Amino acid sequence: MTTEHSHATPASIADAIGQALATAIAERGTALIAVSGGRSPIPIFHALRSRPLDWSRVTVALVDERWVAPDHPDSNERLVRSELLVDRAAAAAFVPMKNAAADARGGQPGCEAAYRALPRPLDIILLGMGEDGHTASLFPDAPELRAGLETDALTIAVTPPAAPHQRLSLTLSAILASRRIILPISGAAKRATYQAALSPGPVEAMPIRAVLRQGGTPVELWISD
Ligand SMILES: O=C(O)[C@H](O)[C@@H](O)[C@H](O)[C@H](O)COP(=O)(O)O
């Protein structure tokens, strides 16, 4: 089930996320969100981090991570710590994916254990999509793609041939184990990717199709110019 919201803004997306977190806190006492890296979430983080929530009851996890040091410019942990977990959101807990292992494959069991310890379903996932139709770090050309789409594990190590760094990613089953999925789509190129993803074709060519074609977890497309 996919719902499209047009004329989205970082503020309107932050409103939706903030409302979901507040509802989770009111109903269950805590809230759990997994967020993507990349450029798209940054203005949303900026709009979200000052919202008057009880952030001490919020846990922030990652959708994916590049296997680099947490202070590396490409680290999603660094991005989340510097762009989201400040202001009021500094009170939130954070669950990194990166650990001390030398590579993503070696780090996957520790990451899996850390993410298995989180409550499920997640309350909300802020997903991303690349212009090639990847989502999280489920890349079309990655040798681990099929496993990432099929395994019951929550996390998988991925070595995308065409993108920098080894990755740790939530699997499709982990992404779908969420109460709701928010997917911002911004700009003409991403809108074209989204339209292509809606057309018939294999999931392996555009992994975002696996999220858009399922009916169990509500997906909200927040579309902006
Ligand atoms: O690379 C990561 O860390 C991501 O989580 C990735 O899946 C991202 O969401 C897309 O590549 C879109 O990235 P942009 O928002 O920068 O276009």
Side-chain angles (χ1 to χ4, degrees), residues 128-141 145 149 183 189-190 192-194 196-197 202-212:
M129 182 190 74
E131 291 174 19
D132 61 354
H134 80 260
T135 191
S137 280
L138 302 175
F139 286 84
D141 49 358
L145 175 62
L149 296 172
L183 175 57
K190 291 273 182 88
T193 301
Y194 171 54
V203 164
E204 289 78 5
M206 301 186 84
I208 190 67
R209 284 178 170 146
V211 175
L212 297 174

Side-chain angles (χ1 to χ4, degrees), residues 36-41 64 66 76 128-130 134-136 167 190:
S36 295
R39 293 176 309 277
S40 310
D64 67 341
R66 299 97 183 264
N76 286 344
M129 182 190 74
H134 80 260
T135 191
R167 312 288 181 107
K190 291 273 182 88

Side-chain angles (χ1 to χ4, degrees), residues 65-78 98:
E65 180 59 288
R66 299 97 183 264
W67 208 257
V68 294
D71 60 354
H72 189 285
D74 294 341
S75 164
N76 286 344
E77 176 174 345
R78 184 201 58 76
K98 176 74 172 63

